[in-house]
Amino acid sequence: MSSVAVLTQESFAEHRSGLVPQQIKVATLNSEEESDPPTYKDAFPPLPEKAACLESAQEPAGAWGNKIRPIKASVITQVFHVPLEERKYKDMNQFGEGEQAKICLEIMQRTGAHLELSLAKDQGLSIMVSGKLDAVMKARKDIVARLQTQASATVAIPKEHHRFVIGKNGEKLQDLELKTATKIQIPRPDDPSNQIKITGTKEGIEKARHEVLLISAEQDKRAVERLEVEKAFHPFIAGPYNRLVGEIMQETGTRINIPPPSVNRTEIVFTGEKEQLAQAVARIKKIYEEKEILERTGVSVEIPPSDSISETVILRGEPEKLGQALTEVYAKANSFTVSSVAAPSWLHRFIIGKKGQNLAKITQQMPKVHIEFTEGEDKITLEGPTEDVNVAQEQIEGMVKDLINRMDYVEINIDHKFHRHLIGKSGANINRIKDQYKVSVRIPPDSEKSNLIRIEGDPQGVQQAKRELLELASRMENERTKDLIIEQRFHRTIIGQKGERIREIRDKFPEVIINFPDPAQKSDIVQLRGPKNEVEKCTKYMQKMVADLVENSYSISVPIFKQFHKNIIGKGGANIKKIREESNTKIDLPAENSNSETIIITGKRANCEAARSRILSIQKDLANIAEVEVSIPAKLHNSLIGTKGRLIRSIMEECGGVHIHFPVEGSGSDTVVIRGPSSDVEKAKKQLLHLAEEKQTKSFTVDIRAKPEYHKFLIGKGGGKIRKVRDSTGARVIFPAAEDKDQDLITIIGKEDAVREAQKELEALIQNLDNVVEDSMLVDPKHHRHFVIRRGQVLREIAEEYGGVMVSFPRSGTQSDKVTLKGAKDCVEAAKKRIQEIIEDLEAQVTLECAIPQKFHRSVMGPKGSRIQQITRDFSVQIKFPDREENAVHSTEPVVQENGDEAGEGREAKDCDPGSPRRCDIIIISGRKEKCEAAKEALEALVPVTIEVEVPFDLHRYVIGQKGSGIRKMMDEFEVNIHVPAPELQSDIIAITGLAANLDRAKAGLLERVKELQAEQEDRALRSFKLSVTVDPKYHPKIIGRKGAVITQIRLEHDVNIQFPDKDDGNQPQDQITITGYEKNTEAARDAILRIVGELEQMVSEDVPLDHRVHARIIGARGKAIRKIMDEFKVDIRFPQSGAPDPNCVTVTGLPENVEEAIDHILNLEEEYLADVVDSEALQVYMKPPAHEEAKAPSRGFVVRDAPWTASSSEKAPDMSSSEEFPSFGAQVAPKTLPWGPKR
């Protein structure tokens, strides 16, 4: 039978009023009981009996069970289970061996833990791990990773929470991975993903996911609340398949994190918006309370929904249990209350405190109290247990009262356009005002366009901050804005690297705000804002800076023949660096693989001209370069240069690559400069004048088209064909340059009839080239290899030169001598002729031997074989170096017979001649005889020569320099090798090895360096003059000065070294100061020291009795006060050290009049401070004495009732020798039998 009890608000009020006296009564009883002394058994509880039944074992074993904390063993044992479906290695036949066993051994060796494996009935794997806690945790992680199949899951949390999961130095993440035996992958900071990947077992993933969500919930900017709910009720809250909690989450929009069954936690975490979160918490509490009362009493509780206005709670159950349930419902209702505190909304953030510090103090004491601040409302709402809410309310009311008494606020109107100037760069201005006046200034964001600024804080500080902000605003209203036009290309230079230069300008004009446009806007306007005079000054300064930049950005192009670029650069860039430094210009050379010959110089005009002259003089010195000036009217210059310089480029190329320099456009000059080899310059001059004459009369232009591969054939070898066309017609033919877009276009310029004739000739040639024919010729197979080696380089060159003609040689292995040629008829004929010439060269080829000692071969080859490659190109020869022979001595073995010849005949006899060159020294040259001989001479000229230079031995180490830097620099500069003899030889001879052309320069350079070193040596001798001065040791500290300030100044001023005697050296005179340097300087330094000594000798020292109680006040914090007195009176004041015989004795040292004044000042201070000390001591007498000094009543000691010694003598005293009555804590424990046999 069940009954229904209805609980209304009235009955609840009656019950609540009836609880209070009952609670008071209980409290009174408790206090009475506490006054009686404890019994002996309460004070000394007995140990638990050995034979305890199962029921009693479950209860706490007397007070011992509560009082004594068990000692934790350092070695622990844990058992892990891996289900069959999650096992990585499932082969039952190989259990205990194979890969699984190897992994276990590795884990044991790596972690130091002990592993034992066994198979369960369901074929799951049981692993027992023993060892220290840290080793067991590491072993567990390895077991999960290596013996268990891995699953993976992702969990999404806000990106800004990832760092909290990682923790400091990744410690939190490592700890989490170890605890859950999972691998947690967090995306990199630059990855926009917020998904965290967790890999491991299902159970581990669940645990890790729960922990990650907990961390996120803690850091979430939204409200977070924790609710303690017994573990047994979690399934009721979650519902079947988590449906119930899912519905609550969906309806309220709150995230609810219930710990999984494997995690031993009772708290449920809620995260979400405040209102929805409160609803979710209420619903969970309702479920919990219903289930809790239902479990205890068997009565169900029906609470009306939160959106209902009903206040009726219905209880259903058996009549006799309704009373108990009703009492519990009343208790629950009585334990929770809602209250509010009146507080102006502007004080809310001060109550909360910085990062919630103030509020945290309250919530930490009363975690069950929920405090809610509503924006715009002048109240604070508190919810929670009644007692806690009352305490929190009192604390918050106290805070509000205190803040109202000591804080004020004011609102001022300032135009929002000035707000960012009030804030300053990176908040500099506003932060200064906040720190200076201890106020909070709230400036609305730009998006609001509001003029209202609010200042909150100390009343006096608020008024001062208000005054300063209004002054700043009024000053800004009188400010001026000026737009400065500066070319955008200079903006980055003005700003400087990392803003260094603009920072200097801003420091110079702190009141001026300088705004540069966004680079993307392509704007030249720089805005200056500030006081009128300051803006004008800043404008002039920046205009001057821009003028300097314009002057320094003058650019000039200097054409220099490509082969001379390396000479202009110099060894290791020495020449170009010197020109740059001396002319103060920027010099850019074209890339090595580029076809450009132009060097660009940037800087001031005069400096650029000077650098240009120096570069041209280097070229002139290196080659027979002539320079001619031609006068051509300026109006013709553009037409002579042609579109994109095509016309002038064709003349330059045709005349051997001369350089033609036209004056700057608009200069009005008619002078054109032609520079290059003498013969080519004359040729270019004739062509240029002829072209100018044609332009002045009448010029006609025609464009024709031809495939680019025909161009070389139309030009002919060395330009022979195109020159023939020009000579016969008088017209100029211009071919496209490599950088031109239209590669088919050929331009003809000249008089109309000449152009027409040249056009006709070229079109006929092009037509012939378009007429493809196939021909063949016979080439001896022995020459085939020459044409096809190096990937057919010779054939490629023929194809390029003769209009793309295709030459096919028979396959290797066939004995055919037929070679096929396919292409334009004229091209095929020309290619046949060229192949025939090559064959003639091959047949006329001779082999010449050039004997150069092997040790010079590397030097002859040059870097990467560049010198040899140049000789092979210049003389059309092949050069073969011998294999390197490691053993340099002549062989002493008997000569072996070859082809039956007797040793000693012919060649062998020659080889045995000790005067003949070794095989490893002979370089083979192949080619035409005259070219081989020329190449041999060129090779011999590359053989390095050695000369000897006499340099005093004592200078050798200075010539070498620190870590060889000096000698390395000379070797790089003069392109030679310098050999300095070993120190033990004591030789003065330095050997220089290199090309004959470089040796003289190197020798002169070395001798020049020797002169410099000798001059330095003489100077060192002069600097080594020593002078000693006798000074009483008591003056030494004064001469040295505080932190060596005085002696350092003397050293720097006179450029000397001053050495004081070593205090620890008893043999050294303690009054001698040694000065080292130039004689004149040492004397000046000595006079300076003696002057100081003279002043010190005039000083006097007086002892002043000064009460030791005021010493600390006179010295001040970190000695600031006493330093100020010493500086003011120019004296030295020494206080007694702790433990001195007279603690009141203070010594004052200085000039007599200064000492007297300082003593008077100190005594005045003593009198002033001593009065304070006497007052404070008098006050201490009336202060309450410390607790430990109070008179105590005589103690009765520790009293217990029913002690054994007060009992009757019939009771037997305990046997102290009995191990049962007095068990030992350190008794030997029987060894534990392991489930799977003894450890192996």
Side-chain angles (χ1 to χ4, degrees), residues 419-462:
H419 287 187
R420 63 194 184 94
H421 304 299
L422 290 176
I423 293 165
K425 190 171 182 191
S426 304
N429 285 354
I430 208 71
N431 288 340
R432 179 186 57 77
I433 291 168
K434 284 177 182 177
D435 295 342
Q436 190 174 339
Y437 303 119
K438 304 289 184 289
V439 294
S440 169
V441 184
R442 302 188 72 186
I443 297 175
D446 287 345
S447 55
E448 286 184 19
K449 304 287 183 189
S450 170
N451 297 341
L452 203 67
I453 294 175
R454 186 184 178 99
I455 310 166
E456 300 166 353
D458 176 67
Q460 192 181 350
V462 165

Side-chain angles (χ1 to χ4, degrees), residues 145-164:
R146 302 182 68 180
L147 296 182
Q148 204 164 349
T149 54
Q150 303 289 292
S152 67
T154 56
V155 56
I157 64 168
K159 188 82 179 171
E160 61 269 20
H161 296 176
H162 287 192
R163 63 194 182 93
F164 297 105

Side-chain angles (χ1 to χ4, degrees), residues 1017-1086:
Q1017 211 170 33
E1018 288 169 14
D1019 185 57
R1020 265 198 303 277
L1022 291 171
R1023 283 179 69 94
S1024 301
F1025 180 78
K1026 281 190 180 181
L1027 186 69
S1028 291
V1029 58
T1030 305
V1031 176
D1032 194 321
K1034 69 179 180 182
Y1035 298 133
H1036 289 190
K1038 291 290 180 186
I1039 295 166
I1040 293 166
R1042 193 161 180 264
K1043 293 184 180 177
V1046 177
I1047 203 68
T1048 303
Q1049 192 174 350
I1050 295 171
R1051 280 174 179 149
L1052 294 172
E1053 199 175 318
H1054 301 288
D1055 189 23
V1056 292
N1057 182 33
I1058 303 170
Q1059 197 71 36
F1060 283 82
D1062 187 356
K1063 289 179 184 177
D1064 300 330
D1065 189 353
N1067 301 322
Q1068 194 177 351
Q1070 292 297 303
D1071 59 353
Q1072 293 294 315
I1073 297 173
T1074 308
I1075 309 168
T1076 310
Y1078 292 117
E1079 187 175 358
K1080 186 180 173 184
N1081 294 2
T1082 55
E1083 287 169 358
R1086 178 195 61 193

